[in-house]
Each structure stands twice: as structure tokens, then as C-alpha cells.
């Protein structure tokens, strides 16, 4: 069975965008692949965090994954920081990565512009990500398009290391979810719905209560026409709402367009809100049962044990190959 691995960074609350763009893809694939999914908590430290908030968010993330349908019996679920060999692997890989390569990453360029006092971690972030990927010998890495460049860097680093030190890493491939599943901000549908967004009116958090979700959808930006038609270029707001419905119901774009011929945007938004409220409500019900359970810790312990073994074995092999052994 082929292996897949993906991670989410616990900055901000998990959003409907993460659910549709990343988590749902993993749920679809969990029967066909040996699946690894983790919280990239060390990656969260690349930007300032409040420690108590971060701690809560890490636990919330794991409970939310499972509430969304990530099955602990079909996935290895773990915290990145529980695998102490990952930063060690990352150091060796950093020494096989060129400064020029790391500084060319689009995310680094954008984030380093936001704050003149950015950390070195922001630069080495993709190498840590390469360590996550390479330490488990994954075949595929399902991510959104924004992370593709980082997976490509992981490939380049692995190929270079293998060439210099002999076969050590499996070369991973990015699996980019199909176009149409990239969920946009409700207020500004030209940019992605992001959990790090400071102004959350356009972002549906999986933790929002029903009335808040309803309000956000009812005030989503649309256009001055009155036709519910999928046209991402000219009608990004309506198209985004259609994408949300299509992703959550399995209906087609055509179905939705036909259902709303001659109806106004208010009616369409109410329909979208009902669907999202129902889905998020179901997820929250499961989440509430899990969040304080012992089961959650048992799942994380089991995941950490498994990945620690893989990472230690990879690290030992790398130490031997580069010569940092007694
Ligand atoms: P992060 O936490 O920014 O995003 C997690 C995943 O969700 C996807 N995504 C979206 N997809 C569709 N619509 C959206 N609005 C949307 N927002 C986010 C992202 O593409 C991503 O797949 N660096 C990674 C975490 C990470 C990782 C890894 C991932 C660390 N190590 C190893 C894969 C493998 C990140 O910050 O993702």
C-alpha cells in the first residue's frame, strides 16, 4: 500500500477551507493509502505565539481532525513535536540546502515582508517540512497549491542527499487537490480562506456557532447581478459559495444552477448557510465528546510511538552516512 502524509499548522482555528481543501481529501484517501496526519506545531513557532493558546489549539486540532472523520484506526495521528528526531534530521538537511533555495520560497518572501524582525525559523521552515516528509518515506504529500513549492524543495533536497550519500530517502510527490476545492474568503473572494486571517468575518471557523456562521454567509460578498451561475472570474463570490455546496453535498455545479434559476441571492445564501450549519454542527457534536477524553491521548501516544521509530531509524542512517557518529 502506498503511503501519504500531510500536516496542518496550528495557527488560528481550523476553517471550512482546511476541512474542504485538506481534511476531506485525507478522509477520501484513508481507505486507499497508509495515511499519516499530524499537527505541525513546531512550524507554528515561526511566528509569535502565546503559549497557553497554542497548547489548547494543538489539542483542539487533533480532536477536530477526528471529529471531521479522520479515522484513528486508519491513520497514524501525531504531534510533530512529539517526534524529537525531526529537528535533528532537519539540521542535517539544512546543511544540505542552499540559502538561495530557501530564500526563494514564495511563502518566505511574503511572510518576511510582513515583519522586518522575522525569525530565522521562517527561512528554514520548508526544511523542517522536508524532514516531516522524508523521515517517514512517504510516497505522496496531499497539500493545497500554496504548499506545492515546499514539497518540491523537499524533493530537491532528497535527490541531492541521495546523490551525495547514497540512497537514503524516497522521493515524495505532491498531490494537489482538484481545482474548485480551494475555498475563498467570504468577504474577499479573490484570496483564500485562511485561518491566520486577522479579520475573521470572511472566514468560517469549524468552532463558530450556528448563528455566527449564518451571519457570515448571509453577508458574503457577491455581485450586482441576480444569477446563481458558476463563473470564477466574473462572479468569484457566488462561485465560492457554489464550491462550498458542491464540496459538502456531492451535488454538481449544474444541479445548483438549475435549482436556483429565477431565485435571488438571499434564497441561495440561506440554502448555503443551512448546509454549512448542519455539517459544522455534526462535526462540533463529535468534537465535544472527544476533546476531554483519554482516548485522544491514547491516539497521540500510539501515533508518536510509531513515527518515532521511523524517524529514529532514518536519523541513525543519516548520521552514519554523513559521519556524525562515534
Ligand atoms: P497550513 O496549515 O497552512 O495548511 C494546511 C493544508 O490546508 C491547505 N489549505 C487550503 N486548501 C484549500 N482552501 C483553503 N482555503 C486552504 N487553506 C489551507 C494547505 O494547502 C495545506 O495543505 N507547511 C504546512 C504544514 C506542514 C506540512 C508538512 C504539510 C508542515 N509539514 C509536511 C504537508 C507535509 C502548512 O502550513 O499548512
Amino acid at each position: 500500500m502506498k503511503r501519504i502524509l500531510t500536516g496542518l499548522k496550528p495557527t488560528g482555528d481550523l476553517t471550512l477551507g482546511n476541512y474542504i481543501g485538506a481534511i476531506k481529501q485525507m478522509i477520501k484517501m484513508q481507505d486507499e493509502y497508509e495515511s499519516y496526519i499530524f499537527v505541525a506545531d513546531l512550524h507554528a513557532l515561526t511566528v509569535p505565539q502565546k503559549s497557553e493558546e497554542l497548547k489548547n489549539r494543538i489539542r483542539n486540532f487533533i480532536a477536530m481532525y477526528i471529529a471531521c472523520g479522520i479515522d484513528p484506526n486508519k491513520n497514524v495521528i501525531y504531534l510533530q513535536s512529539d517526534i524529537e528526531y525531526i529537528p535533528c534530521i532537519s539540521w542535517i538537511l539544512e546543511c544540505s540546502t542552499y540559502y538561495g533555495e530557501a530564500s526563494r520560497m514564495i511563502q518566505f518572501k511574503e511572510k518576511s515582508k510582513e515583519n522586518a524582525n522575522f525569525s530565522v525559523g521562517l527561512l528554514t521552515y520548508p526544511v523542517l517540512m522536508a524532514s516531516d516528509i522524508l523521515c517517514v518515506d512517504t510516497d505522496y504529500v496531499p497539500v493545497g497549491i500554496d504548499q506545492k513549492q515546499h514539497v518540491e524543495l523537499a524533493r530537491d533536497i532528497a535527490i541531492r542527499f541521495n546523490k551525495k550519500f547514497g540512497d537514503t530517502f524516497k522521493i515524495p510527490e505532491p498531490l494537489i487537490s482538484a481545482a474548485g476545492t480551494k475555498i475563498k474568503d467570504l468577504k474577499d473572494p479573490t484570496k483564500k480562506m485562511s485561518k491566520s486571517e486577522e479579520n475573521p468575518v470572511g472566514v468560517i471557523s469549524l468552532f463558530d456557532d450556528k448563528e455566527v456562521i449564518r451571519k457570515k454567509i448571509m453577508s458574503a460578498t457577491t455581485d450586482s447581478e441576480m444569477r446563481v451561475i458558476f463563473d470564477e472570474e466574473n462572479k468569484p463570490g457566488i462561485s465560492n459559495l457554489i464550491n462550498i455546496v458542491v464540496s459538502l453535498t456531492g451535488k454538481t455545479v449544474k444541479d445548483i444552477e438549475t435549482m436556483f434559476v429565477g431565485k435571488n441571492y438571499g434564497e441561495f445564501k440561506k440554502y448555503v448557510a443551512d448546509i454549512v450549519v448542519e455539517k459544522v454542527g455534526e462535526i462540533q457534536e463529535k468534537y465535544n465528546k472527544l476533546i476531554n477524553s483519554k482516548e485522544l491521548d491514547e491516539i497521540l501516544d500510539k501515533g508518536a510511538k510509531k513515527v518515532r521509530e521511523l524517524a529514529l531509524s532514518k536519523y541513525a542512517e543519516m548520521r552514519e552516512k554523513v559521519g556524525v557518529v562515534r
Side-chain angles (χ1 to χ4, degrees):
M1 210 184 225
K2 297 269 190 198
R3 210 172 262 184
I4 53 174
L5 164 131
T6 204
L8 288 95
K9 191 174 56 202
T11 45
D13 285 344
L14 277 175
T15 70
L16 192 67
N18 296 128
Y19 173 66
I20 292 173
I23 299 179
K24 247 178 131 251
Q25 307 306 313
M26 284 301 278
I27 295 168
K28 232 193 291 169
M29 291 188 278
Q30 66 189 2
D31 291 316
E32 294 157 48
Y33 296 92
E34 191 190 344
S35 311
Y36 290 71
I37 184 163
F38 67 97
V39 176
D41 51 353
L42 294 173
H43 274 105
L45 299 179
T46 51
V47 291
Q49 299 290 339
K50 294 196 179 98
S51 56
E52 269 314 303
E53 273 177 24
L54 179 59
K55 225 191 243 177
N56 286 332
R57 212 182 294 127
I58 289 169
R59 192 175 176 88
N60 295 350
F61 258 54
I62 295 284
M64 206 38 119
Y65 283 177
I66 299 168
C68 285
I70 298 286
D71 182 342
N73 295 314
K74 295 180 185 162
N75 293 267
V76 181
I77 303 174
Y78 60 102
L79 291 194
Q80 182 189 38
S81 62
D82 271 342
I83 319 300
E84 52 274 61
Y85 308 109
I86 288 179
C88 304
I89 292 172
S90 191
W91 174 252
I92 298 182
L93 295 182
E94 275 176 39
C95 297
S96 293
T97 306
Y98 299 115
Y99 172 79
E101 272 176 320
S103 59
R104 268 197 300 276
M105 293 293 113
I106 294 164
Q107 187 173 295
F108 170 71
K109 284 199 208 159
E110 284 174 1
K111 294 253 154 117
S112 57
K113 258 190 243 147
E114 287 167 16
N115 179 356
N117 269 331
F118 61 84
S119 68
V120 175
L122 204 59
L123 177 70
T124 55
Y125 174 120
V127 190
L128 182 61
M129 186 163 160
S131 312
D132 297 327
I133 295 170
L134 300 177
C135 81
V136 306
D137 280 329
T138 191
D139 295 282
Y140 301 108
V141 187
V143 282
I145 191 84
D146 57 311
Q147 295 296 322
K148 183 167 178 249
Q149 196 187 27
H150 290 164
V151 181
E152 282 163 355
L153 178 66
R155 284 172 62 88
D156 291 345
I157 296 173
I159 291 168
R160 184 179 311 134
F161 193 98
N162 285 353
K163 232 185 219 161
K164 185 157 182 202
F165 297 106
D167 238 7
T168 311
F169 300 116
K170 184 170 253 178
I171 310 302
E173 274 181 48
L175 267 190
I176 308 297
S177 54
T181 52
K182 183 159 183 177
I183 302 304
K184 305 288 175 56
D185 188 280
L186 298 176
K187 272 287 165 211
D188 178 358
T190 58
K191 63 178 195 192
K192 80 166 189 179
M193 183 182 283
S194 163
K195 54 182 146 56
S196 318
E197 181 57 53
E198 275 171 20
N199 181 9
V201 284
V203 177
I204 295 179
S205 157
L206 294 179
F207 297 92
D208 278 345
D209 68 47
K210 292 185 174 140
E211 281 323 302
V212 172
I213 294 177
R214 213 170 267 288
K215 223 185 242 164
K216 286 178 178 173
I217 294 176
M218 293 310 291
S219 54
T221 302
T222 49
D223 51 68
S224 54
E225 282 191 359
M226 288 286 273
R227 295 176 314 140
V228 178
I229 282 180
F230 190 84
D231 175 353
E232 278 185 311
E233 198 174 317
N234 300 307
K235 298 164 78 69
I238 286 294
S239 304
N240 189 36
L241 293 176
I242 294 178
N243 266 337
I244 291 175
V245 175
V246 166
S247 304
L248 295 182
T249 61
K251 285 194 165 57
T252 63
V253 171
K254 210 72 253 90
D255 293 338
I256 311 292
E257 288 176 344
T258 312
M259 271 173 81
F260 286 92
V261 171
K263 305 219 168 112
N264 64 34
Y265 284 175
E267 285 169 276
F268 175 55
K269 284 178 168 177
K270 186 174 171 305
Y271 171 77
V272 179
D274 285 344
I275 285 168
V276 176
V277 162
E278 191 187 328
K279 185 71 214 173
V280 176
E282 277 169 27
I283 293 173
Q284 288 178 352
E285 206 174 299
K286 289 190 197 143
Y287 169 87
N288 289 331
K289 285 195 192 127
L290 263 170
I291 184 66
N292 292 317
S293 70
K294 240 177 67 194
E295 191 192 340
L296 207 56
D297 293 294
E298 287 162 5
I299 292 167
L300 289 176
D301 287 344
K302 195 170 144 211
K305 184 165 181 279
K306 167 123 198 202
V307 181
R308 220 180 256 140
E309 272 169 27
L310 294 175
L312 173 59
S313 141
K314 192 61 80 183
Y315 180 48
E317 186 183 347
M318 291 169 77
R319 284 183 63 185
E320 194 61 48
K321 286 187 166 155
V322 300
V324 284
V325 273
R326 252 182 269 160

